């Protein structure tokens, strides 16, 4: 845990739709240190993908808009970069991997062409050098016969192979930050495991920082150093993997962990979180989890809780952390 | 690939044969004959003429003679213009029609695709609405109406361009414009919708995430995929342009193939009708074949041959 490579402060992102303005991200604070893997977890629509895309300014504007806040990548504010400068950062300093490898590759271009085009755009290399580097990259991600494979088209590869190519493509310019948006969701479980191992290997070899977006806690447990739990456009709890899995504080985090099936506890029923997330057209004033929270108090619906710092790495936004909360929660439960 | 081409060649020959046969019998169903005019000729002369052109033979014999003429590629002399052979008419008319057709296809394709791409990139902006208004107008105005309007405005009123005939580049502007507007509009609409769909694809996001320039993202990644439907309808459009040339050549008094074709029908000039029809259909079938080949180049997933599979 050395230097911060990325600092997101009070980020607000909205999307204008015909129905009104959706406040997808509502004041997110996140830090990422060099060489670590941060997992952002949360259910669909909680703003995790939007937050990640905004780092590279890949949100379609309009309708999307960064309303407020800053995204500092190595001290430079991404929200204020020119488009041209942004293009120089994309793929070079920050790379992104998308969810579905079946659609993330252009079906009409060879794999080799797609692998090298980023390199040729950003670095002064000949086609030969670029090809050689691409072959090295394919070797790194574990694709056999890379020389031959370079000339093939995406349809000639399986899903897992394609995701390896997508990863190779993201890493070819040696970025310092890799954002992986649900990189294993579209893959079957055995391939998932291989891809996650690959992430670990790559991080060890290149020292790249990774932001991993997922709703799969199994994936998180395998690769994340730290975890940020998002709910309704806010980060409600951050902590190390150990802290989140063994000492979850936020009722939502607890709820998420309860709803994961476990192999070691036979016959136990899953406990789902009742209800649905709030409508982000008009998000609630207080804690957005109030309506679904088993320990909700009066104050929860009115004022958003302040952050409670439990350790150097563990932060929670919940009124239950307040000293005065205990007697209230006792009365609620009885 | 070679097997595929040979197979297609056989199909093409069969297609042209069927068209030729149909044309022959349909033509003979039309009442009248080349020598059946208001001004009656001497019965003996008429009989001599019919004998000369084998028109007195039974239909089956005529049909076989006709097939022979197709195979030998010699359609014989024109009945109405005895100094000309059908081949010489085609030889003179085709280059002119081809020039008109090529310019039309080029202009329709380039401007249609450009219009569609700009409309898609500026989706729901002024440029989009303007482009689509032009496209709707282009689709709904028939080319002969457009042709007469263009002549009236640009040639007669403003006297900017010559109204008819075919001798200099300036003469080409109006006919090409009249002929290209319809296909251009269709291509523009198709490109726009296809482009809008392609731009939402994940691989476009991937391309942008690589830091590629907007030009590369649009042209290299999006356009190549978006052009698939355009290529698909190119065959139909080519047929449309081809038949469009008949009307346009007539309106602008262009001495192309279409003119001989229409005159041939009006005068029941059997060899001319047969010759032009077979030529046109062979040409069109060949163009459709080229379109299919182009398909395979644009999208590697479309295999033109069965040999070998994906690994």
């Amino acid at each position: 845990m050395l230097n911060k490579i990325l600092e997101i402060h009070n980020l607000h992102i909205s999307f204008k739709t015909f129905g009104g303005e959706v406040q997808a991200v509502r004041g997110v604070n996140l830090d990422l240190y060099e060489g670590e893997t941060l997992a952002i977890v949360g259910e669909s629509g909680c703003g995790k993908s939007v937050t990640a895309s905004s780092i590279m300014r890949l949100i379609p504007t309009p309708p999307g808009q960064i309303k407020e806040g800053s995204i500092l990548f190595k001290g430079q504010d991404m929200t204020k970069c020119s488009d041209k400068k942004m293009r120089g950062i994309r793929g070079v300093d920050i790379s992104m991997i998308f969810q579905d490898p079946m659609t993330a590759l252009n079906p009409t271009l060879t794999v080799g062409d797609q692998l090298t085009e980023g390199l040729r755009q950003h670095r002064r290399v000949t086609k030969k050098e670029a090809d050689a580097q691409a072959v090295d990259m394919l070797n790194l991600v574990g694709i056999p016969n890379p020389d031959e494979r370079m000339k093939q088209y995406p349809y000639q590869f399986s899903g897992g192979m394609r995701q390896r190519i997508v990863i190779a493509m993201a890493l070819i310019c040696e970025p310092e930050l890799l954002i992986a948006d649900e990189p294993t969701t579209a893959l079957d479980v055995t391939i998932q495991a291989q891809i996650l191992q690959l992430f670990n290997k790559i991080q060890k070899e290149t020292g790249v920082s990774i932001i991993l977006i997922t709703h799969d806690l199994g994936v998180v447990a395998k690769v994340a150093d730290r975890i940020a739990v998002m709910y309704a456009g806010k980060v409600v709890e951050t902590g190390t993997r150990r802290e989140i899995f063994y000492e979850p504080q936020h009722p939502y985090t607890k709820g998420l962990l309860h709803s994961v099936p476990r192999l070691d506890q036979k016959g136990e029923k899953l406990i789902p979180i009742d209800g649905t997330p709030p409508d982000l057209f008009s998000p609630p004033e207080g804690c957005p989890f109030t309506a679904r929270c088993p320990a909700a108090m009066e104050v929860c619906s009115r004022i958003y809780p302040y952050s409670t710092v439990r350790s150097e790495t563990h932060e929670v936004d919940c009124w239950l952390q307040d000293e005065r909360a205990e007697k209230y929660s006792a009365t609620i439960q009885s | 690939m070679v097997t595929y081409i040979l197979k297609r060649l056989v199909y093409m020959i069969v297609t042209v044969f069927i068209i030729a046969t149909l044309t022959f019998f349909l033509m003979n169903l039309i009442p009248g004959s080349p020598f059946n005019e208001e001004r009656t000729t001497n019965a003996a002369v008429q009989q001599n003429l019919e004998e000369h052109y084998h028109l007195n033979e039974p239909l089956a014999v005529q049909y076989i003679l006709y097939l022979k003429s197709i195979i030998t590629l010699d359609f014989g002399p024109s009945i109405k213009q005895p100094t000309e052979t059908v081949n010489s008419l085609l030889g003179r008319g085709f280059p002119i029609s081809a020039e008109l057709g090529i310019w039309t296809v080029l202009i329709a394709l380039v401007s249609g695709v450009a219009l569609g791409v700009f409309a898609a990139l500026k989706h729901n902006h002024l440029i989009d609405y303007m482009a689509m208004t032009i496209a709707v107008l282009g689709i709904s105005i028939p080319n002969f109406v457009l042709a007469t309007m263009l002549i009236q405005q640009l040639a007669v009123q403003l006297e900017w361009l010559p109204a008819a005939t075919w001798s200099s580049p300036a003469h080409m502007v109006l006919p090409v414009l009249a002929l290209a507007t319809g296909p251009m509009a269709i291509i523009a609409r198709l490109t726009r919708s296809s482009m809008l769909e392609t731009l939402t694809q994940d691989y476009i996001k991937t391309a942008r995430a690589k830091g590629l320039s907007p030009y590369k993202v649009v042209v290299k990644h999006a356009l190549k995929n978006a052009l698939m439907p355009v290529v698909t309808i190119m065959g139909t459009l080519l047929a449309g342009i081809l038949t469009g040339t008949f009307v346009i050549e007539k309106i602008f008094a262009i001495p192309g193939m279409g003119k001989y074709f229409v005159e041939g029908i009006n005068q029941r000039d059997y060899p001319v009708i047969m010759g032009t029809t077979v030529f046109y259909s062979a040409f069109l079938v060949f163009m459709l074949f080229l379109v299919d080949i182009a398909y395979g180049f644009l999208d590697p997933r479309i295999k033109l041959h069965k040999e070998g599979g994906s690994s």
Side-chain angles (χ1 to χ4, degrees):
Chain A
M1 304 272 156
L2 311 137
N3 299 317
K4 283 180 188 173
I5 189 168
L6 184 79
E7 298 167 67
I8 300 178
H9 289 298
N10 193 30
L11 185 69
H12 285 75
I13 300 169
S14 293
F15 289 88
K16 285 209 173 74
T17 67
F18 287 116
E21 201 176 283
V22 183
Q23 300 174 32
V25 173
R26 309 183 297 132
V28 160
N29 296 300
L30 276 177
D31 291 328
L32 182 71
Y33 297 91
E34 272 175 13
E36 74 163 346
T37 301
L38 171 72
I40 304 179
V41 296
E43 62 200 272
S44 307
C46 70
K48 52 192 195 299
S49 281
V50 173
T51 305
S53 306
S54 72
I55 297 170
M56 274 173 96
R57 282 242 304 274
L58 282 174
I59 297 169
T61 33
Q65 199 195 347
I66 296 175
K67 286 262 172 183
E68 214 185 309
S70 62
I71 301 167
L72 298 178
F73 173 72
K74 296 201 293 185
Q76 192 177 16
D77 193 345
M78 296 283 123
T79 61
K80 293 187 179 71
C81 256
S82 70
D83 283 351
K84 202 176 164 205
K85 200 161 184 195
M86 203 61 231
R87 279 203 295 280
I89 292 171
R90 285 181 193 150
V92 182
D93 297 316
I94 311 177
S95 274
M96 195 151 177
I97 295 169
F98 297 102
Q99 181 169 355
D100 189 355
M102 304 311 270
T103 56
L105 292 168
N106 190 331
T108 60
L109 298 174
T110 60
V111 163
D113 190 4
Q114 295 187 62
L115 272 168
T116 53
E117 66 178 348
L119 202 59
R120 301 200 65 190
Q121 167 99 18
H122 300 297
R123 305 247 198 278
R124 282 168 171 244
V125 288
T126 62
K127 183 157 191 329
K128 229 177 173 180
E129 289 165 346
D131 282 349
Q133 237 169 307
V135 168
D136 287 347
M137 222 57 230
L138 288 180
N139 267 325
L140 176 73
V141 298
I143 287 187
N145 308 327
D147 285 305
E148 224 171 280
R149 292 298 224 166
M150 289 273 288
K151 294 184 206 91
Q152 292 184 335
Y153 290 93
Y155 76 94
Q156 291 162 307
F157 291 80
S158 65
M161 283 293 182
R162 286 191 209 186
Q163 193 63 302
R164 285 168 194 268
I165 290 166
V166 171
I167 293 168
M169 219 159 73
L171 292 173
I172 197 154
C173 288
E174 294 160 349
E176 288 167 71
L177 170 57
L178 181 65
I179 303 168
D181 190 351
E182 313 226 10
T184 57
T185 310
L187 304 172
D188 64 64
V189 185
T190 42
I191 307 296
Q192 266 189 27
Q194 292 172 13
I195 296 292
L196 293 177
Q197 271 169 12
L198 180 62
F199 271 115
N200 276 337
K201 178 185 158 200
I202 284 163
Q203 193 165 41
K204 230 173 256 160
E205 286 180 22
T206 64
V208 64
S209 312
I210 299 176
I211 294 182
L212 182 75
I213 296 156
T214 180
H215 53 245
D216 187 341
L217 288 169
V219 170
V220 172
K222 202 153 184 171
V223 293
D225 298 315
R226 284 194 310 126
I227 298 167
V229 181
M230 277 190 77
Y231 186 76
K234 281 181 181 288
V235 175
V236 293
E237 184 166 5
T238 52
T240 60
R241 175 170 55 180
R242 174 157 283 280
E243 283 162 343
I244 295 291
F245 276 95
Y246 293 104
E247 310 154 30
Q249 292 302 317
H250 200 284
Y252 179 61
T253 314
K254 288 180 190 166
L256 275 184
L257 292 170
H258 280 308
S259 53
V260 177
R262 295 183 62 155
L263 287 174
D264 53 347
Q265 287 169 2
K266 215 179 164 192
E268 203 158 290
K269 274 197 177 171
L270 293 180
I271 307 161
I273 308 173
D274 284 331
T276 51
D279 182 7
L280 291 180
F281 281 112
S282 50
E285 234 171 83
C287 172
F289 193 58
T290 312
R292 304 168 77 182
C293 184
M297 299 169 289
E298 215 187 320
V299 62
C300 294
S301 64
R302 278 200 239 119
I303 306 160
Y304 188 79
Y306 55 85
S307 276
T308 308
V309 179
R310 288 182 53 88
S311 77
E312 213 175 301
T313 49
H314 198 177
E315 260 182 61
V316 200
D317 291 6
C318 185
W319 282 117
L320 290 175
Q321 302 299 315
D322 193 281
E323 286 168 359
R324 293 162 288 180
E326 229 155 290
K327 55 183 177 202
Y328 286 110
S329 58
T331 52
I332 286 167
Q333 267 157 14
S334 64
Chain B
M1 191 72 183
V2 177
T3 15
Y4 172 78
I5 290 176
L6 286 177
K7 218 161 104 189
R8 281 296 303 261
L9 212 63
V10 174
Y11 288 148
M12 278 153 67
I13 290 170
V14 172
T15 313
V16 172
F17 169 75
I18 292 173
I19 293 172
T21 307
L22 277 176
T23 322
F24 177 81
F25 289 106
L26 282 174
M27 187 181 71
N28 276 287
L29 282 176
I30 311 174
S33 87
F35 309 113
N36 197 350
E37 290 172 351
E38 284 171 30
R39 184 166 49 89
T40 47
T41 32
N42 186 322
V45 173
Q46 188 153 348
Q47 203 186 340
N48 278 340
L49 280 170
E50 285 188 358
E51 246 168 58
H52 182 252
Y53 291 109
H54 303 286
L55 294 176
N56 55 344
E57 310 264 7
L59 210 56
V61 176
Q62 284 189 39
Y63 177 58
I64 288 169
L65 282 173
Y66 159 61
L67 287 186
K68 210 179 103 196
S69 74
I70 294 178
I71 292 165
T72 56
L73 294 177
D74 179 11
F75 295 98
S78 159
I79 296 178
K80 285 288 165 178
Q81 290 154 279
T83 52
E84 301 267 13
T85 65
V86 176
N87 289 18
S88 73
L89 286 182
L90 288 180
R92 198 143 23 92
F94 180 67
I96 295 174
S97 291
E99 203 175 5
L100 174 63
I102 288 167
W103 279 113
T104 304
V105 170
L106 271 182
I107 286 175
L109 206 57
V110 171
S111 56
V113 167
L115 212 60
V117 168
F118 279 117
L121 292 179
K122 297 280 168 201
H123 186 39
N124 283 339
H125 283 70
L126 190 64
I127 294 179
D128 184 18
Y129 295 135
M130 266 161 50
M132 284 310 106
T133 310
I134 296 173
V136 169
L137 285 176
I139 289 175
S140 35
I141 301 176
N143 53 24
F144 55 88
V145 175
L146 188 64
T148 32
M149 269 167 36
L150 287 174
I151 293 174
Q152 161 68 12
Q153 289 302 321
L154 298 180
V156 178
Q157 295 278 331
L158 298 168
E159 294 183 15
W160 284 352
L161 291 160
T165 73
W166 191 259
S167 50
S168 71
H171 286 83
M172 297 183 193
V173 176
L174 291 186
V176 167
L177 208 60
L179 197 51
T181 306
M184 179 210 75
I186 294 172
I187 292 171
R189 286 183 63 89
L190 207 63
T191 308
R192 173 180 174 268
S193 57
S194 167
M195 196 70 185
L196 281 177
E197 200 196 310
T198 311
L199 284 174
T200 62
Q201 296 289 320
D202 282 351
Y203 54 79
I204 298 299
K205 234 195 307 179
T206 313
R208 289 182 58 212
K210 276 187 218 166
L212 299 185
S213 62
Y215 172 80
K216 267 213 168 140
V217 172
V218 170
V219 174
K220 188 176 173 189
H221 284 269
L223 193 58
K224 199 175 176 194
N225 286 282
L227 277 184
M228 292 306 290
V230 177
V231 174
T232 312
I233 64 145
M234 264 329 270
T236 334
L237 279 184
L238 279 173
I241 290 170
L242 209 67
T243 47
T245 56
F246 301 162
V247 183
I248 293 298
E249 284 179 12
K250 188 88 188 152
I251 292 175
F252 288 94
I254 297 166
M257 252 184 10
K259 182 172 155 258
Y260 299 120
F261 184 72
V262 176
E263 275 175 8
I265 293 173
N266 283 338
Q267 301 176 335
R268 309 283 185 277
D269 196 340
Y270 291 157
V272 174
I273 300 178
M274 301 316 302
T276 41
T277 312
V278 170
F279 187 85
Y280 268 132
S281 47
F283 179 75
L284 191 61
V285 166
F286 183 67
M287 281 301 163
L288 293 181
F289 167 69
L290 287 189
V291 165
D292 281 357
I293 299 270
Y295 228 65
F297 276 109
L298 267 184
D299 193 340
R301 285 169 300 180
I302 294 165
K303 283 210 206 85
L304 297 178
H305 51 105
K306 288 248 167 69
E307 57 198 84
S310 60
S311 46

